[in-house]
PDB file of all heavy atoms in Angstrom:
ATOM      1  N   ALA A 256      50.730  94.481  41.080  1.00  0.00           N
ATOM      2  CA  ALA A 256      50.531  93.907  39.753  1.00  0.00           C
ATOM      3  C   ALA A 256      51.763  94.136  38.888  1.00  0.00           C
ATOM      4  O   ALA A 256      52.410  95.183  38.975  1.00  0.00           O
ATOM      5  CB  ALA A 256      49.308  94.521  39.092  1.00  0.00           C
ATOM      6  N   SER A 257      52.066  93.160  38.049  1.00  0.00           N
ATOM      7  CA  SER A 257      53.167  93.290  37.093  1.00  0.00           C
ATOM      8  C   SER A 257      52.783  92.569  35.814  1.00  0.00           C
ATOM      9  O   SER A 257      51.819  91.811  35.776  1.00  0.00           O
ATOM     10  CB  SER A 257      54.472  92.730  37.674  1.00  0.00           C
ATOM     11  OG  SER A 257      54.324  91.357  37.977  1.00  0.00           O
ATOM     12  N   GLY A 258      53.562  92.814  34.765  1.00  0.00           N
ATOM     13  CA  GLY A 258      53.257  92.203  33.475  1.00  0.00           C
ATOM     14  C   GLY A 258      52.482  93.159  32.599  1.00  0.00           C
ATOM     15  O   GLY A 258      52.768  94.354  32.566  1.00  0.00           O
ATOM     16  N   SER A 259      51.475  92.668  31.922  1.00  0.00           N
ATOM     17  CA  SER A 259      50.701  93.471  30.968  1.00  0.00           C
ATOM     18  C   SER A 259      49.621  94.287  31.683  1.00  0.00           C
ATOM     19  O   SER A 259      48.423  94.155  31.406  1.00  0.00           O
ATOM     20  CB  SER A 259      50.065  92.560  29.925  1.00  0.00           C
ATOM     21  OG  SER A 259      51.048  91.823  29.229  1.00  0.00           O
ATOM     22  N   ILE A 260      50.061  95.156  32.589  1.00  0.00           N
ATOM     23  CA  ILE A 260      49.110  95.874  33.436  1.00  0.00           C
ATOM     24  C   ILE A 260      48.311  96.910  32.664  1.00  0.00           C
ATOM     25  O   ILE A 260      47.236  97.314  33.092  1.00  0.00           O
ATOM     26  CB  ILE A 260      49.821  96.530  34.624  1.00  0.00           C
ATOM     27  CG1 ILE A 260      50.911  97.478  34.129  1.00  0.00           C
ATOM     28  CG2 ILE A 260      50.409  95.479  35.545  1.00  0.00           C
ATOM     29  CD1 ILE A 260      51.582  98.256  35.236  1.00  0.00           C
ATOM     30  N   PHE A 261      48.815  97.328  31.495  1.00  0.00           N
ATOM     31  CA  PHE A 261      48.100  98.333  30.714  1.00  0.00           C
ATOM     32  C   PHE A 261      46.757  97.808  30.225  1.00  0.00           C
ATOM     33  O   PHE A 261      45.862  98.578  29.890  1.00  0.00           O
ATOM     34  CB  PHE A 261      48.948  98.737  29.501  1.00  0.00           C
ATOM     35  CG  PHE A 261      49.262  97.592  28.583  1.00  0.00           C
ATOM     36  CD1 PHE A 261      48.407  97.256  27.545  1.00  0.00           C
ATOM     37  CD2 PHE A 261      50.396  96.816  28.763  1.00  0.00           C
ATOM     38  CE1 PHE A 261      48.682  96.199  26.703  1.00  0.00           C
ATOM     39  CE2 PHE A 261      50.690  95.752  27.935  1.00  0.00           C
ATOM     40  CZ  PHE A 261      49.825  95.443  26.896  1.00  0.00           C
ATOM     41  N   SER A 262      46.625  96.484  30.184  1.00  0.00           N
ATOM     42  CA  SER A 262      45.403  95.872  29.658  1.00  0.00           C
ATOM     43  C   SER A 262      44.335  95.651  30.730  1.00  0.00           C
ATOM     44  O   SER A 262      43.217  95.247  30.413  1.00  0.00           O
ATOM     45  CB  SER A 262      45.739  94.525  29.014  1.00  0.00           C
ATOM     46  OG  SER A 262      46.260  93.639  29.997  1.00  0.00           O
ATOM     47  N   ILE A 263      44.681  95.921  31.989  1.00  0.00           N
ATOM     48  CA  ILE A 263      43.744  95.649  33.083  1.00  0.00           C
ATOM     49  C   ILE A 263      42.580  96.631  33.061  1.00  0.00           C
ATOM     50  O   ILE A 263      42.791  97.839  33.025  1.00  0.00           O
ATOM     51  CB  ILE A 263      44.455  95.705  34.439  1.00  0.00           C
ATOM     52  CG1 ILE A 263      45.518  94.606  34.529  1.00  0.00           C
ATOM     53  CG2 ILE A 263      43.439  95.554  35.567  1.00  0.00           C
ATOM     54  CD1 ILE A 263      46.354  94.683  35.779  1.00  0.00           C
ATOM     55  N   MET A 264      41.360  96.102  33.086  1.00  0.00           N
ATOM     56  CA  MET A 264      40.165  96.936  33.094  1.00  0.00           C
ATOM     57  C   MET A 264      39.604  97.105  34.502  1.00  0.00           C
ATOM     58  O   MET A 264      39.034  98.134  34.836  1.00  0.00           O
ATOM     59  CB  MET A 264      39.109  96.319  32.188  1.00  0.00           C
ATOM     60  CG  MET A 264      39.531  96.199  30.743  1.00  0.00           C
ATOM     61  SD  MET A 264      38.384  95.238  29.768  1.00  0.00           S
ATOM     62  CE  MET A 264      36.902  96.202  29.901  1.00  0.00           C
ATOM     63  N   GLU A 265      39.750  96.066  35.287  1.00  0.00           N
ATOM     64  CA  GLU A 265      39.192  96.105  36.632  1.00  0.00           C
ATOM     65  C   GLU A 265      40.034  95.232  37.544  1.00  0.00           C
ATOM     66  O   GLU A 265      40.515  94.176  37.128  1.00  0.00           O
ATOM     67  CB  GLU A 265      37.749  95.606  36.626  1.00  0.00           C
ATOM     68  CG  GLU A 265      37.067  95.617  37.983  1.00  0.00           C
ATOM     69  CD  GLU A 265      35.602  95.262  37.908  1.00  0.00           C
ATOM     70  OE1 GLU A 265      34.818  96.027  37.329  1.00  0.00           O
ATOM     71  OE2 GLU A 265      35.237  94.187  38.419  1.00  0.00           O
ATOM     72  N   MET A 266      40.186  95.669  38.795  1.00  0.00           N
ATOM     73  CA  MET A 266      40.848  94.841  39.807  1.00  0.00           C
ATOM     74  C   MET A 266      39.926  94.728  41.004  1.00  0.00           C
ATOM     75  O   MET A 266      39.087  95.602  41.253  1.00  0.00           O
ATOM     76  CB  MET A 266      42.187  95.439  40.211  1.00  0.00           C
ATOM     77  CG  MET A 266      43.207  95.413  39.087  1.00  0.00           C
ATOM     78  SD  MET A 266      44.856  95.872  39.605  1.00  0.00           S
ATOM     79  CE  MET A 266      45.312  94.445  40.613  1.00  0.00           C
ATOM     80  N   GLY A 267      40.094  93.653  41.717  1.00  0.00           N
ATOM     81  CA  GLY A 267      39.199  93.458  42.840  1.00  0.00           C
ATOM     82  C   GLY A 267      39.786  92.560  43.899  1.00  0.00           C
ATOM     83  O   GLY A 267      40.858  91.988  43.730  1.00  0.00           O
ATOM     84  N   TRP A 268      39.055  92.483  44.974  1.00  0.00           N
ATOM     85  CA  TRP A 268      39.389  91.586  46.076  1.00  0.00           C
ATOM     86  C   TRP A 268      38.234  90.623  46.286  1.00  0.00           C
ATOM     87  O   TRP A 268      37.063  91.030  46.296  1.00  0.00           O
ATOM     88  CB  TRP A 268      39.637  92.368  47.361  1.00  0.00           C
ATOM     89  CG  TRP A 268      40.913  93.150  47.351  1.00  0.00           C
ATOM     90  CD1 TRP A 268      41.085  94.457  46.999  1.00  0.00           C
ATOM     91  CD2 TRP A 268      42.212  92.656  47.707  1.00  0.00           C
ATOM     92  NE1 TRP A 268      42.401  94.802  47.121  1.00  0.00           N
ATOM     93  CE2 TRP A 268      43.113  93.719  47.554  1.00  0.00           C
ATOM     94  CE3 TRP A 268      42.691  91.420  48.161  1.00  0.00           C
ATOM     95  CZ2 TRP A 268      44.475  93.595  47.825  1.00  0.00           C
ATOM     96  CZ3 TRP A 268      44.041  91.295  48.423  1.00  0.00           C
ATOM     97  CH2 TRP A 268      44.917  92.355  48.260  1.00  0.00           C
ATOM     98  N   TYR A 269      38.583  89.362  46.447  1.00  0.00           N
ATOM     99  CA  TYR A 269      37.634  88.311  46.763  1.00  0.00           C
ATOM    100  C   TYR A 269      38.091  87.647  48.054  1.00  0.00           C
ATOM    101  O   TYR A 269      39.234  87.810  48.462  1.00  0.00           O
ATOM    102  CB  TYR A 269      37.594  87.254  45.647  1.00  0.00           C
ATOM    103  CG  TYR A 269      36.910  87.703  44.383  1.00  0.00           C
ATOM    104  CD1 TYR A 269      37.489  88.638  43.535  1.00  0.00           C
ATOM    105  CD2 TYR A 269      35.677  87.173  44.020  1.00  0.00           C
ATOM    106  CE1 TYR A 269      36.857  89.041  42.374  1.00  0.00           C
ATOM    107  CE2 TYR A 269      35.034  87.564  42.855  1.00  0.00           C
ATOM    108  CZ  TYR A 269      35.637  88.497  42.043  1.00  0.00           C
ATOM    109  OH  TYR A 269      35.008  88.886  40.886  1.00  0.00           O
ATOM    110  N   ARG A 270      37.195  86.895  48.646  1.00  0.00           N
ATOM    111  CA  ARG A 270      37.584  86.130  49.833  1.00  0.00           C
ATOM    112  C   ARG A 270      36.864  84.790  49.841  1.00  0.00           C
ATOM    113  O   ARG A 270      35.790  84.641  49.263  1.00  0.00           O
ATOM    114  CB  ARG A 270      37.290  86.901  51.122  1.00  0.00           C
ATOM    115  CG  ARG A 270      35.809  87.123  51.420  1.00  0.00           C
ATOM    116  CD  ARG A 270      35.661  88.025  52.628  1.00  0.00           C
ATOM    117  NE  ARG A 270      34.254  88.247  52.966  1.00  0.00           N
ATOM    118  CZ  ARG A 270      33.843  89.114  53.895  1.00  0.00           C
ATOM    119  NH1 ARG A 270      34.741  89.837  54.584  1.00  0.00           N
ATOM    120  NH2 ARG A 270      32.553  89.259  54.149  1.00  0.00           N
ATOM    121  N   GLN A 271      37.512  83.844  50.493  1.00  0.00           N
ATOM    122  CA  GLN A 271      36.929  82.517  50.617  1.00  0.00           C
ATOM    123  C   GLN A 271      37.161  82.004  52.028  1.00  0.00           C
ATOM    124  O   GLN A 271      38.318  81.823  52.436  1.00  0.00           O
ATOM    125  CB  GLN A 271      37.508  81.547  49.596  1.00  0.00           C
ATOM    126  CG  GLN A 271      36.820  80.204  49.575  1.00  0.00           C
ATOM    127  CD  GLN A 271      37.177  79.384  48.354  1.00  0.00           C
ATOM    128  OE1 GLN A 271      38.194  79.615  47.694  1.00  0.00           O
ATOM    129  NE2 GLN A 271      36.337  78.412  48.016  1.00  0.00           N
ATOM    130  N   ALA A 272      36.072  81.798  52.739  1.00  0.00           N
ATOM    131  CA  ALA A 272      36.133  81.238  54.087  1.00  0.00           C
ATOM    132  C   ALA A 272      36.026  79.720  53.988  1.00  0.00           C
ATOM    133  O   ALA A 272      35.508  79.187  53.000  1.00  0.00           O
ATOM    134  CB  ALA A 272      35.004  81.804  54.936  1.00  0.00           C
ATOM    135  N   PRO A 273      36.500  79.010  55.003  1.00  0.00           N
ATOM    136  CA  PRO A 273      36.430  77.543  54.972  1.00  0.00           C
ATOM    137  C   PRO A 273      35.003  77.053  54.767  1.00  0.00           C
ATOM    138  O   PRO A 273      34.078  77.499  55.445  1.00  0.00           O
ATOM    139  CB  PRO A 273      36.962  77.148  56.350  1.00  0.00           C
ATOM    140  CG  PRO A 273      37.847  78.268  56.749  1.00  0.00           C
ATOM    141  CD  PRO A 273      37.201  79.506  56.194  1.00  0.00           C
ATOM    142  N   GLY A 274      34.842  76.158  53.805  1.00  0.00           N
ATOM    143  CA  GLY A 274      33.537  75.583  53.544  1.00  0.00           C
ATOM    144  C   GLY A 274      32.578  76.469  52.784  1.00  0.00           C
ATOM    145  O   GLY A 274      31.409  76.103  52.594  1.00  0.00           O
ATOM    146  N   LYS A 275      33.057  77.633  52.343  1.00  0.00           N
ATOM    147  CA  LYS A 275      32.188  78.562  51.635  1.00  0.00           C
ATOM    148  C   LYS A 275      32.742  78.866  50.250  1.00  0.00           C
ATOM    149  O   LYS A 275      33.922  78.650  49.983  1.00  0.00           O
ATOM    150  CB  LYS A 275      32.024  79.858  52.425  1.00  0.00           C
ATOM    151  CG  LYS A 275      31.292  79.688  53.748  1.00  0.00           C
ATOM    152  CD  LYS A 275      31.008  81.032  54.384  1.00  0.00           C
ATOM    153  CE  LYS A 275      30.214  80.871  55.672  1.00  0.00           C
ATOM    154  NZ  LYS A 275      29.893  82.198  56.288  1.00  0.00           N
ATOM    155  N   GLN A 276      31.858  79.384  49.396  1.00  0.00           N
ATOM    156  CA  GLN A 276      32.291  79.757  48.059  1.00  0.00           C
ATOM    157  C   GLN A 276      33.055  81.072  48.096  1.00  0.00           C
ATOM    158  O   GLN A 276      32.862  81.898  49.002  1.00  0.00           O
ATOM    159  CB  GLN A 276      31.076  79.886  47.142  1.00  0.00           C
ATOM    160  CG  GLN A 276      30.411  78.562  46.790  1.00  0.00           C
ATOM    161  CD  GLN A 276      29.354  78.725  45.721  1.00  0.00           C
ATOM    162  OE1 GLN A 276      28.733  79.781  45.596  1.00  0.00           O
ATOM    163  NE2 GLN A 276      29.151  77.688  44.931  1.00  0.00           N
ATOM    164  N   ARG A 277      33.904  81.253  47.105  1.00  0.00           N
ATOM    165  CA  ARG A 277      34.619  82.522  46.982  1.00  0.00           C
ATOM    166  C   ARG A 277      33.608  83.611  46.657  1.00  0.00           C
ATOM    167  O   ARG A 277      32.723  83.428  45.821  1.00  0.00           O
ATOM    168  CB  ARG A 277      35.669  82.432  45.889  1.00  0.00           C
ATOM    169  CG  ARG A 277      36.614  83.605  45.820  1.00  0.00           C
ATOM    170  CD  ARG A 277      37.734  83.366  44.823  1.00  0.00           C
ATOM    171  NE  ARG A 277      38.588  82.240  45.216  1.00  0.00           N
ATOM    172  CZ  ARG A 277      39.729  81.945  44.600  1.00  0.00           C
ATOM    173  NH1 ARG A 277      40.161  82.685  43.593  1.00  0.00           N
ATOM    174  NH2 ARG A 277      40.440  80.906  44.998  1.00  0.00           N
ATOM    175  N   GLU A 278      33.747  84.769  47.324  1.00  0.00           N
ATOM    176  CA  GLU A 278      32.818  85.861  47.111  1.00  0.00           C
ATOM    177  C   GLU A 278      33.563  87.159  46.829  1.00  0.00           C
ATOM    178  O   GLU A 278      34.678  87.370  47.315  1.00  0.00           O
ATOM    179  CB  GLU A 278      31.916  86.056  48.334  1.00  0.00           C
ATOM    180  CG  GLU A 278      32.630  86.437  49.608  1.00  0.00           C
ATOM    181  CD  GLU A 278      31.684  86.731  50.757  1.00  0.00           C
ATOM    182  OE1 GLU A 278      30.455  86.733  50.561  1.00  0.00           O
ATOM    183  OE2 GLU A 278      32.190  86.965  51.873  1.00  0.00           O
ATOM    184  N   SER A 279      32.920  88.020  46.055  1.00  0.00           N
ATOM    185  CA  SER A 279      33.498  89.321  45.763  1.00  0.00           C
ATOM    186  C   SER A 279      33.376  90.221  46.979  1.00  0.00           C
ATOM    187  O   SER A 279      32.337  90.257  47.642  1.00  0.00           O
ATOM    188  CB  SER A 279      32.790  89.951  44.564  1.00  0.00           C
ATOM    189  OG  SER A 279      33.279  91.253  44.336  1.00  0.00           O
ATOM    190  N   VAL A 280      34.430  90.947  47.271  1.00  0.00           N
ATOM    191  CA  VAL A 280      34.447  91.877  48.397  1.00  0.00           C
ATOM    192  C   VAL A 280      34.404  93.322  47.903  1.00  0.00           C
ATOM    193  O   VAL A 280      33.600  94.120  48.368  1.00  0.00           O
ATOM    194  CB  VAL A 280      35.701  91.653  49.266  1.00  0.00           C
ATOM    195  CG1 VAL A 280      35.785  92.689  50.371  1.00  0.00           C
ATOM    196  CG2 VAL A 280      35.712  90.245  49.841  1.00  0.00           C
ATOM    197  N   ALA A 281      35.282  93.652  46.970  1.00  0.00           N
ATOM    198  CA  ALA A 281      35.364  95.025  46.472  1.00  0.00           C
ATOM    199  C   ALA A 281      36.021  95.014  45.106  1.00  0.00           C
ATOM    200  O   ALA A 281      36.811  94.110  44.804  1.00  0.00           O
ATOM    201  CB  ALA A 281      36.151  95.913  47.424  1.00  0.00           C
ATOM    202  N   ALA A 282      35.709  96.017  44.303  1.00  0.00           N
ATOM    203  CA  ALA A 282      36.287  96.117  42.967  1.00  0.00           C
ATOM    204  C   ALA A 282      36.518  97.580  42.623  1.00  0.00           C
ATOM    205  O   ALA A 282      35.817  98.470  43.131  1.00  0.00           O
ATOM    206  CB  ALA A 282      35.383  95.464  41.935  1.00  0.00           C
ATOM    207  N   ILE A 283      37.510  97.814  41.764  1.00  0.00           N
ATOM    208  CA  ILE A 283      37.799  99.161  41.288  1.00  0.00           C
ATOM    209  C   ILE A 283      38.140  99.078  39.809  1.00  0.00           C
ATOM    210  O   ILE A 283      38.919  98.214  39.390  1.00  0.00           O
ATOM    211  CB  ILE A 283      38.933  99.807  42.110  1.00  0.00           C
ATOM    212  CG1 ILE A 283      39.134 101.263  41.694  1.00  0.00           C
ATOM    213  CG2 ILE A 283      40.231  99.012  42.005  1.00  0.00           C
ATOM    214  CD1 ILE A 283      40.000 102.055  42.685  1.00  0.00           C
ATOM    215  N   THR A 284      37.540  99.962  39.022  1.00  0.00           N
ATOM    216  CA  THR A 284      37.784  99.945  37.586  1.00  0.00           C
ATOM    217  C   THR A 284      38.953 100.854  37.227  1.00  0.00           C
ATOM    218  O   THR A 284      39.450 101.621  38.061  1.00  0.00           O
ATOM    219  CB  THR A 284      36.545 100.413  36.826  1.00  0.00           C
ATOM    220  OG1 THR A 284      36.347 101.816  37.082  1.00  0.00           O
ATOM    221  CG2 THR A 284      35.301  99.639  37.251  1.00  0.00           C
ATOM    222  N   SER A 285      39.341 100.791  35.966  1.00  0.00           N
ATOM    223  CA  SER A 285      40.422 101.656  35.490  1.00  0.00           C
ATOM    224  C   SER A 285      40.015 103.122  35.578  1.00  0.00           C
ATOM    225  O   SER A 285      40.882 104.002  35.616  1.00  0.00           O
ATOM    226  CB  SER A 285      40.800 101.291  34.055  1.00  0.00           C
ATOM    227  OG  SER A 285      39.657 101.371  33.216  1.00  0.00           O
ATOM    228  N   GLY A 286      38.706 103.392  35.628  1.00  0.00           N
ATOM    229  CA  GLY A 286      38.216 104.757  35.793  1.00  0.00           C
ATOM    230  C   GLY A 286      37.958 105.130  37.236  1.00  0.00           C
ATOM    231  O   GLY A 286      37.359 106.166  37.517  1.00  0.00           O
ATOM    232  N   ASP A 287      38.398 104.266  38.164  1.00  0.00           N
ATOM    233  CA  ASP A 287      38.298 104.489  39.602  1.00  0.00           C
ATOM    234  C   ASP A 287      36.881 104.377  40.159  1.00  0.00           C
ATOM    235  O   ASP A 287      36.611 104.839  41.271  1.00  0.00           O
ATOM    236  CB  ASP A 287      38.912 105.832  40.021  1.00  0.00           C
ATOM    237  CG  ASP A 287      40.429 105.809  39.966  1.00  0.00           C
ATOM    238  OD1 ASP A 287      40.997 104.694  40.024  1.00  0.00           O
ATOM    239  OD2 ASP A 287      41.040 106.870  39.846  1.00  0.00           O
ATOM    240  N   SER A 288      35.981 103.774  39.417  1.00  0.00           N
ATOM    241  CA  SER A 288      34.676 103.445  40.001  1.00  0.00           C
ATOM    242  C   SER A 288      34.849 102.265  40.950  1.00  0.00           C
ATOM    243  O   SER A 288      35.627 101.348  40.652  1.00  0.00           O
ATOM    244  CB  SER A 288      33.676 103.076  38.900  1.00  0.00           C
ATOM    245  OG  SER A 288      33.405 104.184  38.087  1.00  0.00           O
ATOM    246  N   THR A 289      34.146 102.300  42.058  1.00  0.00           N
ATOM    247  CA  THR A 289      34.290 101.242  43.046  1.00  0.00           C
ATOM    248  C   THR A 289      32.938 100.589  43.352  1.00  0.00           C
ATOM    249  O   THR A 289      31.883 101.183  43.150  1.00  0.00           O
ATOM    250  CB  THR A 289      34.879 101.778  44.357  1.00  0.00           C
ATOM    251  OG1 THR A 289      34.036 102.812  44.875  1.00  0.00           O
ATOM    252  CG2 THR A 289      36.279 102.332  44.140  1.00  0.00           C
ATOM    253  N   ASP A 290      33.036  99.368  43.846  1.00  0.00           N
ATOM    254  CA  ASP A 290      31.843  98.627  44.221  1.00  0.00           C
ATOM    255  C   ASP A 290      32.197  97.736  45.395  1.00  0.00           C
ATOM    256  O   ASP A 290      33.337  97.234  45.470  1.00  0.00           O
ATOM    257  CB  ASP A 290      31.340  97.790  43.041  1.00  0.00           C
ATOM    258  CG  ASP A 290      29.953  97.221  43.297  1.00  0.00           C
ATOM    259  OD1 ASP A 290      29.177  97.868  44.043  1.00  0.00           O
ATOM    260  OD2 ASP A 290      29.636  96.139  42.769  1.00  0.00           O
ATOM    261  N   TYR A 291      31.247  97.541  46.296  1.00  0.00           N
ATOM    262  CA  TYR A 291      31.499  96.768  47.498  1.00  0.00           C
ATOM    263  C   TYR A 291      30.368  95.780  47.771  1.00  0.00           C
ATOM    264  O   TYR A 291      29.202  96.045  47.460  1.00  0.00           O
ATOM    265  CB  TYR A 291      31.617  97.690  48.715  1.00  0.00           C
ATOM    266  CG  TYR A 291      32.764  98.663  48.643  1.00  0.00           C
ATOM    267  CD1 TYR A 291      32.600  99.931  48.102  1.00  0.00           C
ATOM    268  CD2 TYR A 291      34.027  98.311  49.109  1.00  0.00           C
ATOM    269  CE1 TYR A 291      33.645 100.822  48.025  1.00  0.00           C
ATOM    270  CE2 TYR A 291      35.086  99.199  49.044  1.00  0.00           C
ATOM    271  CZ  TYR A 291      34.883 100.456  48.499  1.00  0.00           C
ATOM    272  OH  TYR A 291      35.929 101.336  48.425  1.00  0.00           O
TER     273      TYR A 291
END
């Protein structure tokens, strides 16, 4: 990440398979809480 990174509250990974909707895979907050 670059730019205004101080403002980021949460980052995550998504994925999209052919013919399917984009889905959330994992997320991590600025406080290091995670979700899968």
Side-chain angles (χ1 to χ4, degrees):
S257 61
S259 301
I260 57 175
F261 60 89
S262 63
I263 296 174
M264 299 171 62
E265 180 174 294
M266 293 189 70
W268 289 94
Y269 287 71
R270 67 186 181 187
Q271 187 166 20
K275 294 187 177 182
Q276 289 189 331
R277 189 173 296 189
E278 63 175 355
S279 176
V280 175
I283 186 166
T284 69
S285 56
D287 287 338
S288 294
T289 58
D290 191 29
Y291 298 91

